[in-house]
Amino acid sequence: MNEPQSIPRPLVRANQWTIFISVVLTWITGMEWILLVPLLSGILGFFFNFNPVIQIARKFLTRPLKDYVPEDKEQQQFNQAIAVILLSVGFISFLFGWLIAAYIATIMVALASFVAILGFCIGCFIRYRWLRYRHRKAQHHS
């Protein structure tokens, strides 16, 4: 039986901190290109299974990967998809001068990443509720 794929928690945290710090630096400096760091890393990770932030952070791990608390890879991909969407909306909105949309999108992704760092995964909650809804809907139709 195949074990579900996982990502060591320190690598997930590195990605979350990168998102949070990039958004805050964008707000402080007004340089929207900073959002490209987590955005492009997320896109590469999502489509090519190569997230540069995670690859760099991996070099700093001192123990074998299996010794760290695992995070579900499928769940992390769901979270990353939400982050990529919000970072894209934020970046594009900043480029076009749509500041309200830019701040709403970046506040959402910064808040989600920071809350995840503190221990509550908003994306996990959303995915859980979605899967539960689909399961109930499928049971109702059968």
Side-chain angles (χ1 to χ4, degrees):
M1 186 170 168
N2 288 350
E3 235 180 88
Q5 288 188 324
S6 64
I7 303 170
R9 183 172 287 164
L11 300 180
V12 173
R13 290 286 192 262
N15 193 55
Q16 293 163 337
W17 273 113
T18 300
I19 292 168
F20 180 75
I21 291 168
S22 297
V23 169
V24 171
L25 285 175
T26 297
W27 295 338
I28 292 169
T29 65
M31 293 187 277
E32 65 275 343
W33 64 265
I34 296 171
L35 293 177
L36 292 176
V37 173
L39 176 58
L40 294 176
S41 293
I43 290 170
L44 288 170
F46 194 73
F47 290 109
F48 301 106
N49 203 27
F50 179 82
N51 182 316
V53 170
I54 288 179
Q55 295 306 318
I56 291 168
R58 183 181 299 232
K59 295 175 190 279
F60 293 96
L61 296 181
T62 56
R63 302 186 314 238
L65 295 181
K66 65 178 177 51
D67 288 353
Y68 294 97
V69 174
E71 297 281 351
D72 180 62
K73 186 173 182 175
E74 207 172 291
Q75 178 63 58
Q76 295 309 313
Q77 292 239 306
F78 179 83
N79 297 344
Q80 192 67 40
I82 295 170
V84 164
I85 291 166
L86 290 172
L87 289 165
S88 296
V89 169
F91 179 70
I92 292 166
S93 296
F94 274 124
L95 286 180
F96 284 104
W98 303 331
L99 297 183
I100 293 173
Y103 280 106
I104 289 172
T106 56
I107 287 169
M108 288 172 65
V109 74
L111 185 62
S113 64
F114 191 69
V115 170
I117 290 164
L118 295 177
F120 181 75
C121 176
I122 295 169
C124 301
F125 179 75
I126 292 169
R127 183 169 179 254
Y128 168 76
R129 299 293 292 189
W130 172 249
L131 292 174
R132 192 170 152 202
Y133 166 78
R134 285 183 42 204
H135 177 72
R136 273 194 272 177
K137 189 176 177 181
Q139 279 187 328
H140 180 70
H141 288 305
S142 48

